[in-house]
Amino acid sequence: MAGTIAANPGVSITPSAVKATLPTNYITNFDFLNQYLPDTYEKEFERYGNRSIASFLRMVGAELPSNSDLIKWAEQGRLHTKYTGLTYAAISSGTQVFTMAGSAVCNFRVNQTVFLSSESTTASARAIITAVAANGSTFTVAYYDSAFNSTSPFASGTVTVFVYGSEFQKGTSGMIGSLEAQDDFFECKPIIIKDKYVVSGSDMAQIGWVEVTTENGATGYLWYMKSEHETRLRFEDYLEMAMVEGVPAESGSGAATFLNATVTYPPAGNTNVGAGTQGMFNTVETRGNVWSGGNPTTLSDFDTIVQRLDKQGAIAENALFLNRQFSFDIDDMLAAQNSYGVGGTSYGLFDNSEQMALNLGFTGFRRGYEFYKTDWKYLNDATLRGGLVGGAVNGVLVPAGTTTVYDQVLGKNAKRPFLHVRYRASEAENRRYKTWMTGSAGGAQTSDLDAMEVNFLSERALCTLGANNFFIFKG
């Protein structure tokens, strides 16, 4: 039986006798515009510059090992005691009874001298404590001013009181009772952060025409090198952002359920559970100082900040990490202090030469304390915090230097930066920054998977010591 061959409509069998591109040439559907080799720029153009934002914690903190699921530390309480919101009874026989706000308990003792001040008027007085209720909810004072034997110095409103000393008669017994040192105890837990990059063995052997360049200076024509390095950079950014943005998961929350968090964190019936961690933003919002309603842009605004810092640790040097607009606002505020337009004066002298560049920015200023400012890339990056409306953060104030705390793991006082990372580590395992390869490609020989898997892992927590000395500036 004779066979037949079907015509192939995609192949022409009529060659041309001349060197020309004709419809009857051997190759049909020829795109004339693509037959020539184009000019190519082999190197990538880095249009976003250095895209990593991980720099904040490296500048302000340190990294220390920890070998527990829970990190605890003690911070000193106030040395002196002041109570607010006190109410009072009528004057009786030259004495007056004061009641603590909200059924609180005072630590006052008989024969201590106190200063009392109205919270709504200019009235104030000094007195001596003559009696303290057994439950500590009330105490009685006798005024030093005879004008208050029958008339109270306070006509309305609530009162603030603090102890300034004591006074005893000759030959009397000493002070009754004593005060114990007061510490505030805080804790945080580490979280496990992971990432992975996977490339098949075939793709590892695929050469490309684009010469890739990574932030660490590595170059080559293998695209997987680029992707693997970007995964590493992204993971390093996550390590910092998780410490800044982390929040504890509340009991009954979806995150707690998803992570199967059953261990209470912190313990003793707190509403948080063993999921999440307390990052810097959350810590400062709950235990620090929050400025909201627009950036502080005047010296009066910063005077308010300084007055708040006076009531806290009074740290001499502070660093401001700001977004671009806040940085400009401070530059404008400082430049406005120059009276050049009014009195013809200027700060210092300058030679208006053609080589001079006018510097319109400031790196810091002194207003009661030293303030050094710098741009925080994380707050400017358009793919991260930059340009947010809801939940916007315009900057943070971080105290510089170290503080002394009682480290319950070490069992002794230790100096620590106000902001530092604790990572899980022991003699057998260091989980600060782990990376390993699995699969059967790229040098890995751990399984029959025809690919290379690059794994990343870290377990860490951020300790924010003395959060009362921090400020967060919210939009």
Side-chain angles (χ1 to χ4, degrees):
M1 180 177 180
T4 60
I5 300 178
N8 188 339
V11 177
S12 174
I13 58 173
T14 308
S16 172
V18 297
K19 295 180 179 179
T21 53
L22 302 174
T24 56
N25 275 8
Y26 281 109
I27 303 175
T28 61
N29 300 325
F30 188 85
D31 187 352
F32 176 77
L33 297 178
N34 290 332
Q35 69 169 313
Y36 303 113
L37 180 65
D39 273 335
T40 60
Y41 290 90
E42 295 184 356
K43 282 186 175 293
E44 288 182 302
F45 180 71
E46 301 175 12
R47 59 174 174 169
Y48 293 115
N50 187 341
R51 296 162 296 164
S52 175
I53 56 91
S55 61
F56 172 70
L57 292 179
R58 286 198 294 266
M59 288 191 289
V60 301
E63 292 188 345
L64 304 167
S66 173
N67 50 21
S68 175
D69 280 331
L70 193 62
I71 302 165
K72 301 185 66 174
W73 68 91
E75 298 183 6
Q76 290 180 342
R78 294 281 190 179
L79 184 61
H80 301 286
T81 304
K82 180 172 74 173
Y83 296 110
T84 61
L86 278 70
T87 56
Y88 41 88
I91 286 282
S92 176
S93 302
T95 63
Q96 190 168 22
V97 178
F98 287 83
T99 302
M100 301 294 292
S103 301
V105 177
C106 71
N107 63 5
F108 292 155
R109 292 167 288 171
V110 175
N111 286 89
Q112 285 188 316
T113 52
V114 294
F115 183 89
L116 301 112
S117 173
S118 171
E119 296 177 354
S120 57
T121 70
T122 59
S124 64
R126 294 170 179 82
I128 186 169
I129 296 178
T130 60
V132 179
N135 61 5
S137 62
T138 64
F139 61 92
T140 306
V141 303
Y143 292 103
Y144 280 91
D145 193 328
S146 61
F148 303 141
N149 287 342
S150 58
T151 303
S152 172
F154 309 108
S156 62
T158 53
V159 169
T160 293
V161 61
F162 66 87
V163 175
Y164 69 86
S166 62
E167 184 176 0
F168 290 82
Q169 292 178 314
K170 292 182 179 180
T172 59
S173 300
M175 180 71 73
I176 299 175
S178 65
L179 299 181
E180 294 295 327
Q182 179 185 359
D183 271 3
D184 293 319
F185 296 92
F186 301 102
E187 54 195 28
C188 63
K189 62 170 285 294
I191 57 173
I192 301 172
I193 309 168
K194 296 182 180 181
D195 208 338
K196 178 188 288 187
Y197 173 68
V198 181
V199 58
S200 69
S202 297
D203 289 339
M204 292 184 67
Q206 179 69 44
I207 197 72
W209 64 268
V210 178
E211 183 180 4
V212 297
T213 303
T214 60
E215 274 80 352
N216 65 357
T219 59
Y221 291 90
L222 298 174
W223 191 258
Y224 82 91
M225 293 173 54
K226 176 75 172 179
S227 298
E228 189 274 335
H229 180 71
E230 289 198 356
T231 302
R232 186 181 300 271
L233 283 180
R234 194 178 301 112
F235 179 70
E236 291 174 354
D237 283 354
Y238 290 159
L239 297 184
E240 177 167 303
M241 290 191 290
M243 299 297 96
V244 171
E245 297 282 2
V247 294
E250 293 186 351
S251 178
S253 66
T257 302
F258 175 75
L259 293 169
N260 193 27
T262 57
V263 180
T264 302
Y265 160 68
N270 196 293
T271 57
N272 297 324
V273 294
T277 189
Q278 193 166 36
M280 184 188 68
F281 285 168
N282 182 258
T283 302
V284 179
E285 287 172 350
T286 55
R287 294 194 280 115
N289 306 285
V290 179
W291 180 286
S292 58
N295 295 333
T297 57
T298 66
L299 287 181
S300 177
D301 290 337
F302 271 92
D303 289 346
T304 302
I305 294 172
V306 168
Q307 291 164 4
R308 175 64 69 87
L309 295 177
D310 283 338
K311 296 179 175 61
Q312 307 304 322
I315 308 301
E317 296 183 346
N318 300 272
L320 293 165
F321 294 87
L322 315 172
N323 66 9
R324 182 65 69 185
Q325 184 58 53
F326 194 179
S327 180
F328 284 161
D329 289 343
I330 292 181
D331 288 341
D332 293 342
M333 176 193 72
L334 297 177
Q337 309 312 310
N338 188 343
S339 59
Y340 174 76
V342 178
T345 61
S346 182
Y347 292 133
L349 300 174
F350 68 90
D351 178 16
N352 190 16
S353 63
E354 59 185 10
Q355 290 83 19
M356 186 197 77
L358 183 59
N359 186 358
L360 298 177
F362 295 84
T363 59
F365 62 98
R366 178 174 178 81
R367 184 74 170 177
Y369 301 98
E370 296 284 350
F371 296 97
Y372 306 100
K373 76 178 180 70
T374 184
D375 293 328
W376 189 3
K377 191 173 182 180
Y378 177 51
L379 300 182
N380 291 323
D381 193 297
T383 60
L384 299 172
R385 278 276 183 174
L388 293 183
V389 177
V393 172
N394 297 338
V396 293
L397 181 149
V398 180
T402 61
T403 185
T404 300
V405 296
Y406 180 79
D407 191 309
Q408 293 193 333
V409 176
L410 299 177
K412 63 180 181 180
N413 287 337
K415 283 191 175 295
R416 296 284 184 263
F418 286 91
L419 208 60
H420 63 274
V421 172
R422 299 294 296 267
Y423 59 88
R424 291 292 294 272
S426 68
E427 292 82 358
E429 174 77 356
N430 188 327
R431 298 168 70 81
R432 175 184 174 274
Y433 189 123
K434 292 186 63 177
T435 179
W436 68 97
M437 291 191 302
T438 58
S440 63
Q445 298 178 354
T446 61
S447 70
D448 61 355
L449 178 67
D450 183 17
M452 177 183 71
E453 297 181 330
V454 184
N455 300 272
F456 303 92
L457 179 146
S458 181
E459 188 170 1
R460 56 182 55 207
L462 182 70
C463 297
T464 307
L465 306 184
N468 57 301
N469 297 289
F470 287 68
F471 258 92
I472 184 169
F473 302 94
K474 306 185 74 173

